[in-house]
Amino acid sequence: MELRRILIPAAGLTGIVALYVGVDALVESPEEALEAIAEDFQGSVDPDRIQSALRWFEPDRVPVEVTARGQTRVYGNGAADSLRRDALRSLAPMMGESLNALRSHVEVEEDDGSIQLQLLTSRGMANVALRLRLRNDAWKVYRVQVTR
């Protein structure tokens, strides 16, 4: 009887600890989420990779400002197709090449995040800075700056 009084609470405590460990393993930190997003902006340049990166853009909900080659363009409501078309057009000369990350850094402050990438290609080095906002439990890019 005495052993039973000890085993039942011990089994309950073990179950609670196992549940906590299991849930904690499933929960991704904001930093881990941004690191996963950063992976979509490196690797082989192909239409599938570009499409994968574009899923982090939703100009209908979060307008996107893109600065590259000294020009800035803002994509807002109804501009998702233009953003996709422009991304494919500007990256077309690099199709088949690889974007290799020399450095990657993420920062999170509440619902704002940033990803800094230093990428190496056969054409040289490029720095990519992404700013993101957390909206309805999903990170969305609102600013991209590409410099050489």
Side-chain angles (χ1 to χ4, degrees):
M1 188 65 142
E2 186 67 31
L3 183 59
R4 194 171 156 175
R5 261 192 274 179
I6 294 171
L7 288 178
I8 291 174
L13 182 60
T14 301
I16 291 170
V17 168
L19 179 63
Y20 174 77
V21 169
V23 168
D24 187 52
L26 295 175
V27 176
E28 183 177 59
S29 75
E31 290 81 7
E32 290 170 329
L34 291 186
E35 287 168 0
I37 292 169
E39 289 178 18
D40 280 339
F41 292 85
Q42 45 192 304
S44 178
V45 179
D46 58 52
D48 289 339
R49 171 75 60 185
I50 295 168
Q51 189 59 40
S52 184
L54 286 172
R55 70 187 164 127
W56 305 110
F57 296 79
E58 200 170 329
D60 291 340
R61 290 182 38 210
V62 179
V64 180
E65 178 184 296
V66 178
T67 302
R69 298 184 187 122
Q71 296 183 337
T72 299
R73 178 146 185 214
V74 177
Y75 299 87
N77 195 16
D81 287 339
S82 294
L83 176 60
R84 184 176 301 105
R85 186 175 50 252
D86 290 350
L88 287 168
R89 186 180 316 131
S90 67
L91 292 170
M94 298 178 66
M95 288 294 176
E97 290 189 34
S98 188
L99 302 174
N100 301 303
L102 297 177
R103 269 187 277 189
S104 178
H105 178 73
V106 301
E107 285 185 26
V108 176
E109 190 172 312
E110 296 183 17
D111 291 348
D112 236 23
S114 69
I115 299 171
Q116 305 286 329
L117 296 168
Q118 186 176 49
L119 303 171
L120 181 63
T121 72
S122 65
R123 299 166 182 258
M125 212 170 347
N127 296 302
V128 178
L130 304 166
R131 298 287 303 180
L132 303 94
R133 284 202 180 97
L134 187 61
R135 293 285 185 257
N136 299 324
D137 295 328
W139 288 100
K140 296 298 174 187
V141 175
Y142 69 88
R143 184 175 299 133
V144 179
Q145 185 171 14
V146 180
T147 57
R148 289 203 157 243

